[in-house]
Amino acid sequence: MATTNGSWQDVAKAKRDSVNNLIPEPWRLKSIPSTEEQRDVTGKYIWQFLSEREVEITETNAVEIAKHTTTGKWTAEEVTRAFCHRAALAHQLLNCLHEIFFDAAIETAKGLDAYLAEHKKPVGPLHGLPVSLKDQFHVKGVETHMGYVGWIGTFEGKKGTGREKIFESEMVRELRELGAVLYCKTSVPHTLMSGETVNNIIEYTWNPKNRNLACGGSSGGEGALIGIKGSPLGFGTDIGGSIRIPAAFNGLYGIRPSTGRMPYEGMANSMDGQNTVLSVVGPLSHTVGGLRLAMKSLLSMQPWLHDPLVTEMPWRDDQEKEILDLIESPTAGKGQLAFAVMENDGSVTPQPPVQRAMKIIVSTLEKLDHKVIKWSPPSHAYGNKVLLTTWGYDGGADVHGAFALSGEPMSAQVEQAYGKEPQEQMSASKIAATNVAKREYQKEYMEYWNSTKELTGTGRPVDALIAPLAPFPAARPLGYRYYGYTTFVNLLDYTSCVIPVTTADQKVDVLDKDFKPLNDLDKSIADLYDAAIYDGAHVSVQLIGRRLQEEKVLALAEYVGNTIRGS
């Protein structure tokens, strides 16, 4: 199909070229090494294209940067220019950006520096901190195409709305008021419904640590950009793992908050109006401190006054303090933390690097005399079946309609889920029955969690559940065939934070010769494992708390993460 501007291929290429042309000439790479020549483009590899000062700035975590920029030790302009440069390099190596607005960011930074000089105080806690955004956020002056060719030059596929390049999402407004510097929007898979980031505009976004592998999805551009340290802090969304998967694949911390904690108002989305399991927005960063800074700052803006779906719940220091008190002042039994561990969900067996990461977690916690129990919950296979039903309410009408705008084809990754044609839409009674099934499953799981009080010896149910979030360290292209380790969390609406644990080691992470697959899917995922291809990839797990336990989960994730690094 041709558009008014030419074929979909022409439109996609024009958009791709327009973004690439925004990279300043001095920042353009003369050549891009093949994966065989340079698998890992993080660290020393990317440093060679940066000045020593740029390396110093971009290797600093979000919390420390904010300390420097809010006090004037570092100027917002200098920090912004450094991250713009590293982000430009990242995009050339990985295809991770949808929109570049470096010039606008530098002007914002200059304004922040002038404000600090005049008023002797920062605009807010994020003053001068560069923040990247997934391409669902509407930002003035740039497009939101969400990977769809048919959305280019429109507002969410519609022309002549008067909102094109003018409207801003609620969180964008709040981030600006907090002093953040917005400078780019990152790549997503078209539809948002894939654990790999691929679309017909930027093509495939690669994993910076191991370019044989996917960066994750659907917040994959965020994962890749932050993973290569082209951003200190960014925001993604999660309806089935889309914050946690990219965080894990790129060795980052990332939190999936419960519904209603962070403002989603005014963001673009797929299947908008499907309310059984809502997508949520949350931060990714190199430290838990970065996640805490982001959430605490946003909650200080009282987002419940501007987003009708946000719960009026300010940041609760007491939840953090409760965990810290248990950690720092242990007394017999009561000071002990209790964790449940799920090493296998009964449907798909994690690959060797993930198995090893789980063993590292368990042995570390047991050495510290914390209680670790086996998790035997209600059927995850059933829960995931309920979740997947919600993604098919409209029979794929929304996503197929978006592709029809330009005539572009679906990626093979998305076609696996939505097929070549829309299917019959579900009836109101079927949707109602799914809502009931979800509620009943949540209740059953809640009571199971409560029942662990009898096993912990602490007088409390388990403080958190630790589990894989994918059966592999990162997916191989076209290899993301199972989402069950993340989707159950979305159905339950639990809080979950990713914890980086280790990296894959081909000398250690070998397949068990006696491995017997649980089913055909399990066999197909085991068959994808190649120790040499995965060597060096990040390996992470997720720490899961109950609904609306963000402060507690971050405190626990920080403790467990620090403990692993110190062990």
Side-chain angles (χ1 to χ4, degrees):
M1 178 188 292
T3 70
T4 56
N5 297 315
S7 69
W8 71 260
Q9 293 96 330
D10 292 337
V11 176
K13 183 179 185 302
K15 180 63 181 180
R16 180 168 60 250
D17 290 347
S18 71
V19 173
N20 291 338
N21 288 338
L22 291 171
I23 297 174
E25 189 68 38
W27 295 353
R28 296 182 189 180
L29 297 174
K30 292 188 173 82
S31 63
I32 307 298
S34 68
T35 301
E36 291 72 26
E37 292 171 318
Q38 190 66 43
R39 174 185 293 204
D40 181 353
V41 293
T42 64
K44 290 183 179 179
Y45 179 80
I46 198 170
W47 291 356
Q48 67 183 302
F49 306 111
L50 300 163
S51 69
E52 288 187 15
R53 180 62 170 157
E54 287 173 325
V55 170
E56 178 189 6
I57 290 170
T58 54
E59 289 291 318
T60 304
N61 67 53
V63 174
E64 293 304 311
I65 292 171
K67 286 179 182 177
H68 295 332
T69 52
T70 55
T71 59
K73 181 177 179 181
W74 289 356
T75 67
E77 182 182 355
E78 181 182 31
V79 171
T80 298
R81 287 184 184 275
F83 276 102
C84 287
H85 189 184
R86 194 153 177 163
L89 297 170
H91 180 56
Q92 294 171 81
L93 293 165
L94 306 169
N95 305 326
C96 59
L97 301 184
H98 275 185
E99 296 288 342
I100 286 172
F101 37 107
F102 297 159
D103 289 344
I106 290 167
E107 289 305 309
T108 297
K110 288 179 178 177
L112 290 167
D113 289 335
Y115 182 94
L116 186 64
E118 179 181 353
H119 298 280
K120 310 302 179 187
K121 66 177 183 179
V123 166
L126 304 183
H127 181 107
L129 179 67
V131 173
S132 52
L133 300 172
K134 183 179 185 178
D135 189 26
Q136 287 181 257
F137 290 86
H138 290 293
V139 177
K140 187 176 181 179
V142 294
E143 292 188 315
T144 302
H145 61 71
M146 220 169 71
Y148 288 127
V149 176
W151 279 26
I152 295 170
T154 74
F155 183 83
E156 300 183 10
K158 300 179 179 66
K159 294 183 178 180
T161 67
R163 306 176 93 186
E164 294 88 341
K165 296 188 179 182
I166 295 174
F167 177 78
E168 290 202 319
S169 304
E170 175 58 29
M171 187 182 283
V172 171
R173 180 189 68 79
E174 293 173 1
L175 287 168
R176 290 192 192 280
E177 290 192 19
L178 290 162
V181 179
L182 310 178
Y183 65 114
C184 63
K185 293 206 296 175
T186 53
S187 57
V188 300
H190 48 209
T191 74
L192 307 177
M193 306 303 288
S194 175
E196 300 174 55
T197 293
V198 57
N199 62 59
N200 293 316
I201 301 168
I202 53 91
E203 299 175 346
Y204 202 91
T205 305
W206 296 99
N207 188 310
K209 184 68 174 172
N210 184 333
R211 291 192 299 154
N212 290 307
L213 305 174
C215 64
S218 61
S219 310
E222 282 300 311
L225 181 65
I226 302 171
I228 202 170
K229 297 191 175 179
S231 170
L233 173 68
F235 284 89
T237 63
D238 194 315
I239 195 173
S242 292
I243 290 170
R244 290 163 289 154
I245 293 165
F249 288 9
N250 293 281
L252 306 171
Y253 288 90
I255 185 169
R256 184 251 178 226
S258 292
T259 302
R261 202 72 207 274
M262 291 276 100
Y264 210 106
E265 176 66 23
M267 291 173 61
N269 206 357
S270 285
M271 303 179 295
D272 196 14
Q274 181 282 108
N275 290 343
T276 302
V277 176
L278 290 172
S279 177
V280 299
V281 60
L284 300 84
S285 196
H286 302 101
T287 65
V288 170
L291 308 184
R292 184 183 292 110
L293 173 66
M295 292 193 68
K296 195 169 184 177
S297 297
L298 283 163
L299 289 175
S300 74
M301 298 297 294
Q302 299 181 298
W304 48 86
L305 296 178
H306 300 280
D307 184 335
L309 298 186
V310 173
T311 302
E312 185 172 349
M313 186 180 291
W315 185 262
R316 299 164 296 178
D317 291 311
D318 58 313
Q319 276 209 4
E320 279 190 292
K321 187 176 184 300
E322 178 184 339
I323 296 300
L324 294 175
D325 287 346
L326 287 172
I327 294 167
E328 294 170 3
S329 304
T331 56
K334 291 187 178 180
Q336 189 181 48
L337 293 173
F339 297 92
V341 171
M342 183 181 73
E343 297 187 28
N344 188 319
D345 70 353
S347 294
V348 172
T349 305
Q351 293 175 349
V354 181
Q355 293 180 30
R356 181 166 61 86
M358 290 297 297
K359 287 180 170 62
I360 290 171
I361 289 277
V362 171
S363 64
T364 301
L365 294 174
E366 287 181 339
K367 284 177 184 175
L368 293 169
D369 293 327
H370 295 304
K371 185 74 172 182
V372 178
I373 69 169
K374 182 180 178 181
W375 195 243
S376 303
S379 169
H380 278 207
Y382 172 76
N384 285 319
K385 181 180 178 181
V386 174
L387 182 285
L388 292 174
T389 300
T390 70
W391 293 355
Y393 280 171
D394 72 347
D398 177 72
V399 300
H400 280 283
F403 287 112
L405 291 171
S406 67
E408 65 173 315
M410 284 185 179
S411 66
Q413 288 87 344
V414 170
E415 190 177 306
Q416 290 174 359
Y418 287 99
K420 295 182 182 296
E421 301 290 339
Q423 303 299 308
E424 182 180 356
Q425 299 193 26
M426 294 186 194
S427 65
S429 59
K430 172 67 172 175
I431 293 170
T434 304
N435 288 332
V436 171
K438 172 200 168 189
R439 186 183 70 235
E440 291 176 346
Y441 185 77
Q442 287 177 312
K443 168 65 174 173
E444 184 182 6
Y445 216 99
M446 177 185 287
E447 294 302 343
Y448 172 71
W449 193 305
N450 291 337
S451 73
T452 62
K453 180 179 180 180
E454 306 303 319
L455 303 173
T456 61
T458 65
R460 309 181 307 276
V462 292
D463 296 299
L465 163 65
I466 297 175
L469 49 81
F472 24 68
R476 295 175 66 176
L478 286 171
Y480 214 129
R481 301 173 184 173
Y482 182 68
Y483 293 90
Y485 281 103
T486 49
T487 50
F488 81 96
V489 175
N490 298 83
L491 184 69
L492 295 166
D493 197 24
Y494 284 170
T495 305
S496 175
C497 184
V498 172
I499 302 173
V501 178
T502 187
T503 55
D505 184 339
Q506 63 180 327
K507 296 178 181 178
V508 177
D509 300 318
V510 295
L511 279 172
D512 184 348
K513 294 179 182 178
D514 298 323
F515 170 72
K516 294 181 180 179
L518 300 167
N519 48 56
D520 290 343
L521 176 61
D522 194 25
K523 182 180 185 303
S524 75
I525 289 175
D527 288 345
L528 284 171
Y529 182 67
D530 183 317
I533 286 176
Y534 275 102
D535 191 47
H538 291 292
V539 192
S540 305
V541 301
Q542 61 180 329
L543 184 146
I544 303 160
R546 303 174 92 162
R547 288 189 66 244
L548 299 168
Q549 289 191 340
E550 288 75 23
E551 297 89 344
K552 178 179 180 179
V553 164
L554 288 181
L556 287 168
E558 189 167 47
Y559 170 68
V560 173
N562 289 344
T563 300
I564 292 168
R565 283 197 300 276
S567 63

